[in-house]
Each structure stands twice: as structure tokens, then as C-alpha cells.
């Protein structure tokens, strides 16, 4: 088996080899940085998009919650069927009890809806799924 002899290469071949190796290393490092950046920023971007959707749903459901119209709230949540990435959604009343709930056909059967609202708004990721909790307000008051 012959070993690689760098000294035996012509100057032209050495330059080509060095250029190819440095370009390959640079591309691999760039790909690593891009993948790491995507991995770190993707949850924040998704939380932003999900937060905007939750804000729209919340703004549209204030009347239903204020007038205790669970049927209208349920119909509003059913519009989420158009987004296959939304597995479930829940609206809670002012006392923190479930007011209306939606679960997609793709939602895992073991995914339980919390019977009471969480105390803090925010997002989390567990088991590959993002959970967003957001307050619904009307004229500055939590509904």
C-alpha cells in the first residue's frame, strides 16, 4: 500500500489540493453554523407564529367567552382544522375551566387537555410538540 506523498506533488497539484481541502472544511463549518442557528432559532420563530395565531383566535373568541357561548367558541376552534400542524387548542373561561376544546384527527389519543388553565403565559417544547399558553384580554381585562 502506497502512502500519500505531499512532497512529491507538483506546485500546481499542491495548490489545488490545499484549495480543495480548505474549501471543503469551510463549507462543512458553514453548514454546521447554519444548522446550529436553525436549531436554536426555529422554536422562537414558531412560537412567534403560533402566538400570532393564538392572538387572532383569542381576539375572535372574546365575545363568545363574554356571553358564555361555548358553541360559537367551539366553531371558532374548529377553523384550526385548516392548519395540519395544530394538534389541539383549548379556550378557558375566567375561572380557568375548559370552555371549548379542539383536537385534530392527528392528535395523539393520549394527549390530554388540562382541565384548568396554567397560571403563566408562555411556550414550551416537550416530546417534539410545542405548547403555547396565552391570555385572552378584552379592553385590557383578562377574560
Amino acid at each position: 500500500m502506497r502512502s500519500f506523498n505531499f512532497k512529491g506533488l507538483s506546485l500546481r497539484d499542491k495548490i489545488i489540493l490545499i484549495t480543495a481541502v480548505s474549501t471543503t472544511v469551510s463549507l462543512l463549518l458553514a453548514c454546521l453554523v447554519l444548522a446550529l442557528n436553525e436549531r436554536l432559532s426555529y422554536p422562537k420563530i414558531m412560537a412567534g407564529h403560533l402566538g400570532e395565531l393564538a392572538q387572532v383566535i383569542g381576539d375572535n373568541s372574546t365575545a363568545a367567552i363574554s356571553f358564555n357561548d361555548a358553541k360559537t367558541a367551539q366553531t371558532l376552534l374548529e377553523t384550526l382544522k385548516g392548519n395540519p400542524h395544530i394538534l389541539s387548542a383549548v379556550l378557558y373561561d375566567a375561572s380557568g375551566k375548559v370552555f371549548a376544546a379542539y383536537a385534530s384527527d392527528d392528535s395523539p389519543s393520549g394527549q390530554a387537555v388540562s382541565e384548568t388553565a396554567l397560571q403563566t403565559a408562555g411556550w414550551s417544547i416537550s416530546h417534539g410538540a410545542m405548547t403555547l399558553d396565552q391570555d385572552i384580554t378584552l379592553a385590557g381585562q383578562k377574560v
Side-chain angles (χ1 to χ4, degrees):
M1 186 178 240
R2 293 180 62 200
S3 64
F4 181 73
N5 184 7
F6 187 75
K7 291 181 181 181
L9 294 176
S10 68
L11 181 60
R12 178 181 178 272
D13 290 339
K14 287 179 184 177
I15 291 172
I16 290 172
L17 180 64
I18 290 170
T19 304
V21 169
S22 63
T23 301
T24 302
V25 169
S26 297
L27 284 173
L28 288 174
L29 285 175
C31 288
L32 178 66
V33 167
L34 287 172
L36 188 60
N37 180 48
E38 187 71 21
R39 173 95 170 150
L40 295 175
S41 64
Y42 184 74
K44 293 174 188 169
I45 293 169
M46 285 306 300
H49 292 312
L50 196 56
E52 291 168 0
L53 182 59
Q55 185 68 44
V56 170
I57 294 290
D59 289 346
N60 288 333
S61 66
T62 55
I65 294 172
S66 296
F67 293 109
N68 201 27
D69 186 359
K71 184 177 178 185
T72 300
Q74 184 66 39
T75 303
L76 177 64
L77 289 180
E78 293 294 325
T79 63
L80 294 172
K81 284 182 181 178
N83 188 336
H85 301 290
I86 305 291
L87 298 179
S88 64
V90 182
L91 291 174
Y92 296 99
D93 61 15
S95 65
K97 297 211 164 72
V98 174
F99 186 71
Y102 160 77
S104 74
D105 295 335
D106 297 331
S107 180
S109 58
Q111 184 175 356
V113 172
S114 176
E115 291 300 319
T116 56
L118 298 176
Q119 299 301 317
T120 58
W123 61 272
S124 65
I125 296 177
S126 63
H127 306 294
M130 180 175 281
T131 301
L132 176 82
D133 298 299
Q134 184 168 315
D135 293 335
I136 298 174
T137 57
L138 177 63
Q141 297 285 332
K142 185 177 173 182
V143 228

